């Protein structure tokens, strides 16, 4: 393995304030609840104090969004598009600043936030800006109407990208927004609030309320919210579905996953190995659609695993702001504890655990890339979402067995198929109960393509033309 000299990205491009308030009606304001600390998971350094929004604060934000809705929804789509285009351009101009802040607050490698997250964030705003004056041609009627106020709750794994997935289509359709970022990663959402002001977005069109689960619950349950959009755990998704049942609110839920990455014996193995690494170790495995179950045809299992282990030995774990880093920090102490619990359970249930030799930093939250072999379908690591850099390996003999094992999960968010035969790709994809099926690749996203799941992975679609439907009264 080559030795790489440190190549740190500068923190000086980001000006982190000691404390942050709530963004309501175009202004930053103090919250009436307590504040909380957001920390750098790579060092446990406190980055800032952030306000916790109370029910009263959430109500103020919803009222501001309701007031702004009248003007925003009546605005011609071509005018709304100008604001979205302006936001997209500012995101591009400030992309370095946003990428550094995302890596500091989240723990993901700067290469990922810089080269994957930020380009996709800008692309989503550009894409939905293009739809704003063409809603009558989206297939939802000649004159589709916006719903009203959208209450949106996003997770900590892709804070800014999930914000773009939620806010861009909502604004394009004429809705106004109250968004709650995750408690552990609020800083890029608050910087986005500054971008909204820089773009002269009318006050109240976008509001940001920070806090933990109680703040999210107050937003979801607010009687004047017309649409709820949530990305996060299946457990919380169930709670939201129960709480809004019978309320008349439109709901989309993008929840957990336990994706199967299926490799057939005729696959290009080197390409498949790269896809497997990208599928489960990208973003430290903090991906709802991560390929956390590797299903490999029995005849090539040994060869593939040997190649995979060699590849893992080249991954560099460490400082997220170092441009050479492949594996960053786990987002929080709580998530690290969950990963350790499920990994220990894998060993106790009889699976074989392997990690490449790597030293973990003394401070921060870290977990090495890990492979489990000898995994049974009944093992917890094969059934439960680990949400970390942990891969469970199972084998199969026939395509029918691969499909049966892949579908043997309560989740249905994504899957991958690796084979040289196009007919096999189409046959397997038609049998898999997953919202997204990648062929000879994994974790590829595009704003023009819909994303969403089946079963306990939620319902509704985000992205593409399909992502407009959730924000229209159709």
């Amino acid at each position: 393995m080559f030795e790489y000299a440190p190549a740190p990205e500068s923190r000086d491009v980001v000006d982190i304030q000691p404390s942050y308030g709530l963004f309501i009606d175009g202004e930053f304001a103090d919250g009436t609840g307590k504040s909380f600390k957001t920390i750098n998971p790579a060092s446990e350094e406190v980055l800032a104090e952030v306000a916790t929004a109370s029910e009263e604060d959430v109500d103020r934000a919803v009222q501001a969004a309701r007031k702004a809705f009248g003007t925003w929804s009546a605005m011609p789509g071509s005018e709304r598009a100008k604001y979205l285009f302006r936001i997209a351009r500012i995101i591009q101009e400030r992309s370095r600043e946003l990428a550094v802040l995302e890596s500091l607050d989240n723990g993901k490698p700067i290469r990922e936030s810089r080269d994957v997250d930020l380009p996709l964030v800008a692309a989503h705003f550009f894409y939905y800006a293009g739809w704003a004056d063409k809603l009558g041609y989206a297939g939802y009627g000649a004159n589709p109407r916006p719903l009203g106020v959208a209450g949106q709750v996003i997770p900590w794994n892709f804070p800014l990208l999930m914000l773009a997935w939620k806010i861009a289509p909502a604004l394009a359709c004429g809705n106004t927004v109250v968004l709650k970022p995750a408690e552990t990663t609020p800083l890029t959402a608050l910087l986005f609030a500054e971008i909204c002001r820089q773009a002269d977005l009318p006050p109240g069109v976008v509001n940001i309320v920070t806090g933990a689960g109680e703040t999210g619950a107050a937003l979801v349950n607010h009687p004047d919210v017309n649409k709820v959009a949530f990305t996060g755990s299946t457990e919380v998704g169930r709670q939201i579905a129960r709480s809004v049942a019978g309320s008349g609110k439109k709901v989309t839920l993008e929840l957990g996953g336990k994706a199967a990455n299926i490799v057939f014996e005729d696959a290009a193995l080197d390409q498949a190995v790269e896809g497997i690494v990208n599928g489960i170790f990208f973003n430290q495995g903090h991906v709802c659609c991560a390929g956390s179950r590797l299903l490999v045809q029995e005849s090539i299992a040994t060869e593939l695993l040997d190649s995979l282990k060699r590849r893992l030995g080249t991954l560099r774990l460490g400082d997220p702001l170092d441009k050479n880093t492949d594996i960053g920090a786990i987002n929080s102490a709580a998530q690290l504890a969950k990963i350790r619990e499920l990994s220990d359970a894998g060993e106790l249930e009889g699976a074989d655990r392997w990690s490449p030799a790597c030293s973990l930093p003394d401070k921060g939250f870290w977990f090495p890339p890990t492979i489990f072999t000898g995994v049974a379908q009944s093992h917890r690591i094969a059934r439960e979402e680990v949400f970390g850099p942990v891969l469970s390996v199972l084998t199969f003999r026939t395509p029918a067995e691969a499909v049966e094992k892949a579908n043997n999960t309560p989740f249905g968010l994504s899957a991958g198929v690796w084979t040289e035969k196009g007919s096999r790709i189409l046959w397997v994809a038609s049998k898999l109960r997953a919202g997204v099926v990648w062929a000879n690749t994994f974790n590829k996203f595009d704003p023009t393509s819909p994303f969403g799941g089946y079963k306990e992975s939620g319902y509704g679609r985000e992205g593409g033309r399909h992502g407009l439907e959730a924000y229209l009264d159709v």
Side-chain angles (χ1 to χ4, degrees):
M1 178 178 173
F2 293 107
E3 292 297 325
Y4 287 81
E9 174 62 276
S10 173
R11 288 185 57 165
D12 295 341
V13 300
V14 176
D15 182 19
I16 302 178
Q17 302 299 315
S19 62
Y20 290 88
L22 312 172
F23 185 66
I24 298 175
D25 204 17
E27 300 291 338
F28 284 97
D30 293 333
T32 58
K34 296 179 180 179
S35 63
F36 63 93
K37 295 179 174 66
T38 184
I39 68 169
N40 180 347
S43 64
E44 301 179 61
E45 162 203 4
V46 175
L47 296 173
E49 292 264 354
V50 182
T52 295
S54 65
E55 278 195 45
E56 177 186 337
D57 297 323
V58 171
D59 182 59
R60 285 194 294 126
V62 173
Q63 287 182 30
R66 177 58 61 192
K67 180 181 176 182
F69 173 70
T71 303
W72 182 252
S73 62
M75 187 181 294
S78 58
E79 291 299 310
R80 291 198 301 271
K82 291 178 183 178
Y83 287 102
L84 289 168
F85 276 124
R86 195 177 301 163
I87 289 169
R89 288 194 296 269
I90 295 171
I91 287 169
Q92 288 183 319
E93 292 165 2
R94 302 182 68 172
S95 62
R96 186 181 178 199
E97 178 186 2
L98 288 161
V100 170
L101 187 58
E102 193 80 306
S103 289
L104 284 171
D105 205 21
N106 173 277
K108 66 174 62 190
I110 186 67
R111 286 194 302 113
E112 295 180 3
S113 55
R114 178 195 66 195
D115 298 343
V116 179
D117 292 25
L118 262 299
L120 279 172
V121 169
H124 273 80
F125 279 98
F126 277 125
Y127 175 72
Y128 281 109
W131 269 116
D133 62 347
K134 305 174 187 68
L135 297 176
Y137 304 95
Y140 304 115
N143 188 31
R145 306 300 303 165
L147 293 167
V149 176
Q152 304 175 329
V153 181
I154 59 174
W156 47 260
N157 56 337
F158 292 94
L160 197 57
L161 182 56
M162 293 297 101
L163 176 151
W165 279 26
K166 299 286 189 291
I167 290 181
L171 298 193
C173 291
N175 301 278
T176 52
V177 166
V178 181
L179 179 132
K180 191 202 85 69
E183 182 183 10
T184 60
T185 54
L187 295 186
T188 46
L190 294 167
L191 183 52
F192 179 80
E194 291 183 20
I195 289 172
C196 289
R197 295 177 67 176
Q198 186 180 346
D200 291 326
L201 191 70
V205 173
V206 169
N207 305 272
I208 310 287
V209 291
T210 48
E214 291 183 359
T215 302
L219 177 58
V220 167
N221 295 320
H222 195 286
D224 206 21
V225 165
N226 305 103
K227 164 70 200 302
V228 173
F230 172 76
T231 296
S233 71
T234 296
E235 179 184 355
V236 175
R238 288 195 191 101
Q239 294 173 9
I240 290 173
R242 284 193 293 265
S243 68
V244 301
S247 67
K249 296 176 183 178
K250 205 165 186 176
V251 183
T252 50
L253 301 174
E254 196 262 281
L255 310 176
K258 195 68 183 173
N261 212 354
I262 307 169
V263 182
F264 287 93
E265 61 187 359
D266 65 333
L269 289 192
D270 289 341
Q271 181 184 353
V273 166
E274 292 304 311
I276 293 163
V277 170
N278 183 49
I280 183 58
F281 301 117
F282 172 71
N283 200 37
Q284 296 73 256
H286 298 334
V287 185
C288 297
C289 55
S292 55
R293 289 184 298 148
L294 174 60
L295 301 182
V296 56
Q297 199 152 16
E298 209 171 78
S299 57
I300 59 165
T302 300
E303 181 184 0
L304 180 67
L305 284 171
D306 288 344
S307 182
L308 180 60
K309 288 179 179 180
R310 284 194 301 271
R311 180 66 178 91
L312 262 58
T314 68
L315 297 181
R316 295 174 295 277
L317 181 148
D319 180 9
L321 286 187
D322 192 319
K323 300 181 189 75
N324 297 317
T325 295
D326 298 301
I327 307 279
I330 302 302
N331 180 254
S332 67
Q335 185 59 33
L336 178 59
K338 178 185 176 184
I339 295 168
R340 285 174 172 167
E341 176 198 345
L342 286 170
S343 297
D344 290 344
E347 283 191 289
L348 288 172
E349 291 179 333
D352 298 316
R353 180 175 183 170
W354 181 89
S355 294
C358 64
S359 57
L360 303 182
D362 296 328
K363 282 193 173 182
F365 313 125
W366 305 91
F367 197 87
T370 301
I371 296 175
F372 279 98
T373 54
V375 178
Q377 295 258 80
S378 58
H379 288 172
R380 288 182 66 191
I381 53 172
R383 293 185 291 108
E384 298 181 30
E385 186 177 36
V386 180
F387 220 64
V390 178
L391 178 66
S392 297
V393 182
L394 300 95
T395 60
F396 67 89
R397 293 182 179 177
T398 67
E401 183 186 359
V403 169
E404 185 175 357
K405 285 186 172 181
N407 286 337
N408 187 15
T409 173
F411 299 104
L413 191 55
S414 64
V417 183
W418 300 82
T419 175
E420 289 293 295
K421 295 181 179 178
S423 58
R424 179 177 287 161
I425 289 171
L426 295 173
W427 183 86
V428 173
S430 70
K431 301 295 182 184
L432 292 173
R433 189 64 172 162
V436 176
V437 179
W438 287 290
N440 293 325
T441 188
F442 208 92
N443 271 345
K444 298 297 182 184
F445 297 96
D446 189 283
T448 67
S449 179
F451 182 86
Y454 298 100
K455 299 186 287 187
E456 291 188 12
S457 290
Y459 47 81
R461 293 294 180 267
E462 293 180 303
R465 177 184 66 83
H466 306 72
L468 298 166
E469 181 181 6
Y471 292 98
L472 294 172
D473 186 12
V474 294

